[in-house]
Amino acid sequence: MTTAPRRIDVHQHLVPPLYRDALTRKGITEAGGRALPDWSPGAALEPMDLLGTETAILSVSTPGTTFLTDPAEAAGLARHLNDFSAAVAAEHPTRFGWFATLPMPDVHPSAEEAERCLTSLGADGVTLLANHRGAYLGAEGEDALWRVLDDHGAVVLVHPAELPAPPVDGIPPFAADFLLDTTRAAYLLVRNGVPGRYPNIRFVLSHGGGFVPYASHRMAVAIASDIGRSPRDILDDFRGFYFDTALSSSPAALPTLLAFARPGHVLFGSDWPFAPSAAGQYFANGLDSGVDPGTLAAVNRTNAEALFPRLAGAAPAPAPARPLPARLRESAQRAGARLVFKLIQPN
């Protein structure tokens, strides 16, 4: 590509030291079957520059605060994480935004923290795990949170967690279980009418929506037979979600996602640093080579601008002066990644 695509990455994570320390004290060293990666704002900028990402909306990945069973302790950690995230975004206003962490499954403290972050701290939205210690989004008893988020017209990144069941040997949770977890949450949200009752919430389903685009008609028929709604109306609810492309813009998955989602509802995502830079390049190449220029520009940036108006019309962030060897190295990495992507395709 001859010009930087100015991507807005809605699925990028941060691992603050205070969070790593809290996990370590509980003996947790991995998430979803992957070791906790190193992270710093400076380290995040390198893969962003490699992918042509101008702004990343940061979020805390699974397990969030769910590893803490004391509600007060979980709420305290969420506050500290959100204060930290707000500070990172304030220090790098053109490069980072952030989604607030909420201490679910405790609904009322989560509603209070969402109100604080969206009103006082300038959060770009909130992130919610598909399930919090087995309590799925869309279940009964969550309306206090949905009301706050609907009042703010909030963007909600739905991120998968480990299934509330033992993992299967040889299958790391991030590889398959995460996709089912997101799909379960989407199913319950639609089945129980959350998008219809709270139409101002913009839900973003991670990783291309899990299995939602592929299994949407099957799920619509099941829900219709269960609650008596029209399958067409149910499909409209599923299509009303937003979807990010993190680890999902392959030649097999991307056409299905674009055919299913409403226009303007597909957003760029990388999943860095849990997905290493090589994986981010691989799937970015799938997007870059798999769609027409108009669709590419929309997925890279303009669809996200509609969700985050503060980024709309922003002038390109000034590129820092960088040594020639570094620029040549990045150019070689991009060329190599494009070649590998072409060679690995079955056809």
Side-chain angles (χ1 to χ4, degrees):
M1 300 177 67
T2 57
T3 59
R6 301 187 64 208
R7 304 188 211 261
I8 297 173
D9 184 350
V10 303
H11 189 150
Q12 188 175 136
H13 297 301
L14 74 167
V15 188
L18 67 98
Y19 182 57
R20 183 186 296 275
D21 292 345
L23 292 170
T24 299
R25 287 194 294 272
K26 296 293 186 178
I28 300 171
T29 59
E30 62 177 35
R34 296 193 70 95
L36 292 174
D38 293 330
W39 176 88
S40 71
L45 293 175
E46 183 175 345
M48 288 170 64
D49 291 341
L50 187 63
L51 293 180
T53 299
E54 184 163 288
T55 305
I57 313 297
L58 302 174
S59 58
V60 173
S61 185
T62 184
T65 65
T66 61
F67 66 99
L68 300 172
T69 55
D70 183 307
E73 192 176 3
L77 177 59
R79 285 193 298 272
H80 289 312
L81 287 170
N82 293 329
D83 291 341
F84 181 94
S85 300
V88 170
E91 291 172 4
H92 308 271
T94 63
R95 303 308 305 271
F96 296 121
W98 62 288
F99 289 123
T101 298
L102 304 182
M104 289 287 279
D106 298 298
V107 173
H108 291 285
S110 294
E112 292 174 2
E113 184 62 9
E115 181 72 34
R116 182 181 84 98
C117 293
L118 295 169
T119 302
S120 302
L121 294 186
D124 291 294
V126 306
T127 184
L128 292 171
L129 299 181
N131 88 84
H132 301 85
R133 297 202 301 272
Y136 271 89
L137 299 184
E140 294 183 3
E142 298 170 345
D143 290 273
L145 176 59
W146 300 138
R147 283 193 293 270
V148 170
L149 298 176
D150 190 69
D151 287 345
H152 285 278
V155 178
V156 176
L157 177 70
V158 178
H159 192 281
E162 296 190 25
L163 296 176
V168 176
D169 288 344
I171 304 177
F174 77 88
D177 294 354
F178 272 17
L179 305 177
L180 174 58
D181 200 49
T182 299
T183 304
R184 284 178 167 182
Y187 188 103
L188 283 177
L189 287 167
V190 170
R191 185 221 178 267
N192 294 335
V194 174
R197 287 184 287 121
Y198 301 100
N200 297 320
I201 301 175
R202 281 78 57 82
F203 290 99
V204 180
L205 302 184
S206 298
H207 303 296
F211 304 131
V212 168
Y214 186 81
S216 55
H217 288 254
R218 177 174 180 159
M219 294 191 296
V221 169
I223 293 173
S225 65
D226 184 17
I227 65 174
R229 286 184 64 201
S230 159
R232 181 172 180 174
D233 290 343
I234 294 166
L235 282 169
D236 281 343
D237 281 349
F238 279 122
R239 294 183 68 237
F241 290 121
Y242 289 78
F243 305 85
D244 75 52
T245 65
L247 305 181
S248 302
S249 49
S250 69
L254 186 59
T256 301
L257 175 58
L258 291 171
F260 176 74
R262 286 182 186 170
H265 280 226
V266 179
L267 314 165
F268 179 78
S270 72
D271 205 11
W272 193 87
F274 285 92
S277 294
Q281 284 184 279
Y282 179 87
F283 287 99
N285 280 323
L287 175 63
D288 292 342
S289 62
V291 299
D292 62 86
T295 300
L296 180 60
V299 173
N300 278 340
R301 186 172 184 90
T302 56
N303 293 346
E305 286 180 330
L307 290 182
F308 309 106
R310 71 178 185 85
L311 300 176
R322 301 171 63 244
L324 178 60
R327 285 182 280 135
L328 291 174
R329 183 173 63 252
E330 283 188 2
S331 179
Q333 284 179 284
R334 294 189 190 100
R338 287 193 294 269
L339 177 61
V340 169
F341 179 81
K342 291 179 180 179
L343 292 175
I344 205 171
Q345 302 313 314
N347 57 350

